[in-house]
Amino acid sequence: MLYHLLYPLSKYYSAFNVFQYITFRTIYAVVTALVICFVLGPYIIKRLSVLQLGQVIRRNGPPNHKSKEGTPTMGGALILFSVILSILLWTNLTNPYVWVLIFITVSMGVVGFIDDYKKIVKKDSSGLRPRYKFLCQLLIAFLVALFLYVSEFNTIVTIPFLKEVRIDMGWFYVPFAMFVIVGASNAVNLTDGLDGLAVGPIIIAGATYMLLAYLTGHSGIANYLQIMYVPFVGELTIFAGAMVGASLGFLWFNTYPAQVFMGDIGSLAMGGALGTIAIITKHEALLVLIGGIFVVEALSVIFQVASFKLRGKRVFMMAPIHHHFELKGWPEPRIIVRFWIIAIILSLIAVSTLKLR
Ligand code: 57M
């Protein structure tokens, strides 16, 4: 809105020219989302506690989680509100990609909200049945993928390190994009099991995609780096920036020992948004590295379940893998910070692939 209201004034005062710059608007989108979280955070946490939207801790979990009983959850609502408000203020709202991102964030958030609501308010421990939850996610991802496909979105996928390999997926890009979006949404959800464990890597991945969106949307730089140029995608730099700002603001309250958890409303929405940014910036394959922590967490569950079914034996003491380290006796902050460090290293490697080709 500020872009639409203030940039036209540059005809009268040249100072307003600054509103055309993506870099300027990204910085203020980060700051706006962060400030909204700081200001509203204490109020929202108090409201969630009063409404008794506290977490019920599973009995079969690692023992140190018992002390977390009653910690308010659904704090993801704060992330979503901050992101959306910041986006409405700072992006060019005529850009269709911005609306795709708003759609995925809000609709995945609604699915997460229904799940949280059933678990916490209705005290139905199974929440939204996994089958229905998955179907809703698939449908949302299908709408996004179909929209991109019919708008003649580039269906070529490039592979990190291999400049020459360009695979045109054609219509198969639709199921591929759905896999990336739904996979990212669920992988972030699985990771969200220790204080700050999911939101830290969300910040790191968000910041990395902030850079990639800027590079991909700038024809000169994209040409120089020999990466795919995607017109209008630069505006997603601002979206990724708002995600980073809101997640940093949320981490303020979610850091160990957490005052609030994000709930599925936050994890499904942020995961879905990350997957969609990866698709639209045409750096889909790099998500495996940039979201490496989420991938490892999801794989640990797949291996654990497969091994138990096929061999009757577990690979890890408990999956997802963060529970394994907890049961080995690692203190919670050590697991969290080490996972963040790995996420930073993986993101740096991902960025280096722009040159190592
Ligand atoms: C949700 N939810 C957390 C919080 C958060 C297939 C199977 C692997 C599924 C998996 C599962 O259900 N995962 C998805 C994980 C829960 O956090 C809530 O959920 C939201 C995210 N969706 O925002 O509202 C608990 O995590 C802890 N927590 C923190 N700090 C945070 O900032 O400490 C969360 C956020 C919270 C809190 O204790 O209550 C969760 O873990 O339940 N299932 C599992 O993860 C279970 N694993 C399992 O059964 N493994 C098996 C098989 C199936 C692979 C095995 O290894 O043999 C374990 N989860 C728990 N206890 N809690 C089992 C034991």
Side-chain angles (χ1 to χ4, degrees), residues 118-172:
K118 287 188 97 160
K119 272 188 209 150
I120 298 152
V121 181
K122 297 276 174 203
K123 310 280 178 219
D124 173 358
S125 62
S126 50
L128 182 60
R129 281 187 203 295
R131 192 186 311 158
Y132 295 136
K133 186 157 136 188
F134 189 56
L135 275 177
C136 290
Q137 289 177 301
L138 279 180
L139 177 69
I140 294 165
F142 173 69
L143 292 175
V144 167
L146 190 68
F147 170 80
L148 292 175
Y149 186 67
V150 297
S151 1
E152 301 194 356
F153 191 70
N154 189 340
T155 52
I156 294 175
V157 173
T158 52
I159 311 291
F161 300 109
L162 306 170
K163 189 166 59 180
E164 309 302 331
V165 183
R166 295 161 74 90
I167 308 161
D168 190 351
M169 294 204 154
W171 66 266
F172 192 71

Side-chain angles (χ1 to χ4, degrees), residues 3 11 32 40 68 75 86 98 103 109 122 133 167 183-184 196 200 238 254 264 271 277 296 310 322 338 348:
Y3 169 77
K11 274 185 275 180
T32 305
L40 294 186
K68 293 170 186 266
S86 174
V98 170
F103 169 75
K122 297 276 174 203
K133 186 157 136 188
I167 308 161
I238 305 169
N254 181 235
D264 282 26
I277 297 178
V296 169
L310 297 173
H322 53 261
R338 286 190 178 168
L348 289 174

Side-chain angles (χ1 to χ4, degrees), residues 161 200-212 274 286-294 339-354 356:
F161 300 109
I202 290 175
I203 294 167
I204 295 157
T208 311
Y209 273 109
M210 202 164 94
L211 173 70
L212 292 175
L274 268 181
L286 268 193
L287 185 60
V288 175
L289 273 178
I290 296 171
I293 290 293
F294 307 128
F339 275 44
W340 290 353
I341 294 171
I342 295 168
I344 293 172
I345 295 170
L346 290 174
S347 271
L348 289 174
I349 296 173
V351 173
S352 78
T353 66
L354 298 179
L356 291 177

Side-chain angles (χ1 to χ4, degrees), residues 50-290:
V50 172
L51 293 170
Q52 299 202 315
L53 299 182
Q55 187 74 44
V56 183
I57 307 291
R58 284 188 234 188
R59 310 229 169 272
N60 57 348
N64 58 324
H65 283 249
K66 296 219 169 58
S67 60
K68 293 170 186 266
E69 183 96 44
T71 306
T73 185
M74 287 205 211
L78 177 66
I79 305 182
L80 262 58
F81 181 75
S82 313
V83 170
I84 302 295
L85 195 60
S86 174
I87 285 308
L88 293 177
L89 284 176
W90 293 105
T91 53
N92 173 354
L93 295 171
T94 61
N95 185 309
Y97 296 142
V98 170
W99 288 103
V100 171
L101 258 303
I102 292 178
F103 169 75
I104 197 90
T105 309
V106 173
S107 50
M108 287 289 190
V110 168
V111 176
F113 171 79
I114 298 171
D115 194 28
D116 288 334
Y117 185 81
K118 287 188 97 160
K119 272 188 209 150
I120 298 152
V121 181
K122 297 276 174 203
K123 310 280 178 219
D124 173 358
S125 62
S126 50
L128 182 60
R129 281 187 203 295
R131 192 186 311 158
Y132 295 136
K133 186 157 136 188
F134 189 56
L135 275 177
C136 290
Q137 289 177 301
L138 279 180
L139 177 69
I140 294 165
F142 173 69
L143 292 175
V144 167
L146 190 68
F147 170 80
L148 292 175
Y149 186 67
V150 297
S151 1
E152 301 194 356
F153 191 70
N154 189 340
T155 52
I156 294 175
V157 173
T158 52
I159 311 291
F161 300 109
L162 306 170
K163 189 166 59 180
E164 309 302 331
V165 183
R166 295 161 74 90
I167 308 161
D168 190 351
M169 294 204 154
W171 66 266
F172 192 71
Y173 196 78
V174 173
F176 170 73
M178 288 169 68
F179 172 75
V180 174
I181 295 169
V182 175
S185 179
N186 285 322
V188 172
N189 187 29
L190 286 173
T191 308
D192 190 26
L194 296 179
D195 301 349
L197 187 69
V199 83
I202 290 175
I203 294 167
I204 295 157
T208 311
Y209 273 109
M210 202 164 94
L211 173 70
L212 292 175
Y214 187 76
L215 302 179
T216 314
H218 191 295
S219 62
I221 302 178
N223 207 9
Y224 168 72
L225 289 171
Q226 297 186 23
I227 55 174
M228 253 185 247
Y229 162 61
V230 186
F232 311 116
V233 89
E235 212 64 22
L236 291 196
T237 314
I238 305 169
F239 192 98
M243 264 178 79
V244 171
S247 304
L248 274 173
F250 178 76
L251 180 60
W252 188 268
F253 305 105
N254 181 235
T255 188
Y256 180 85
Q259 294 165 273
V260 67
F261 301 151
M262 70 168 81
D264 282 26
I265 184 175
S267 59
L268 295 186
M270 288 299 99
L274 268 181
T276 310
I277 297 178
I279 295 282
I280 300 181
T281 56
K282 300 302 303 166
H283 283 96
E284 310 92 338
L286 268 193
L287 185 60
V288 175
L289 273 178
I290 296 171

Side-chain angles (χ1 to χ4, degrees), residues 300-320:
S300 72
V301 172
I302 294 169
F303 286 139
Q304 180 88 325
V305 174
S307 164
F308 196 76
K309 283 202 170 146
L310 297 173
R311 311 185 305 151
K313 279 192 213 156
R314 288 186 162 78
V315 186
F316 305 103
M317 290 161 86
M318 190 185 280

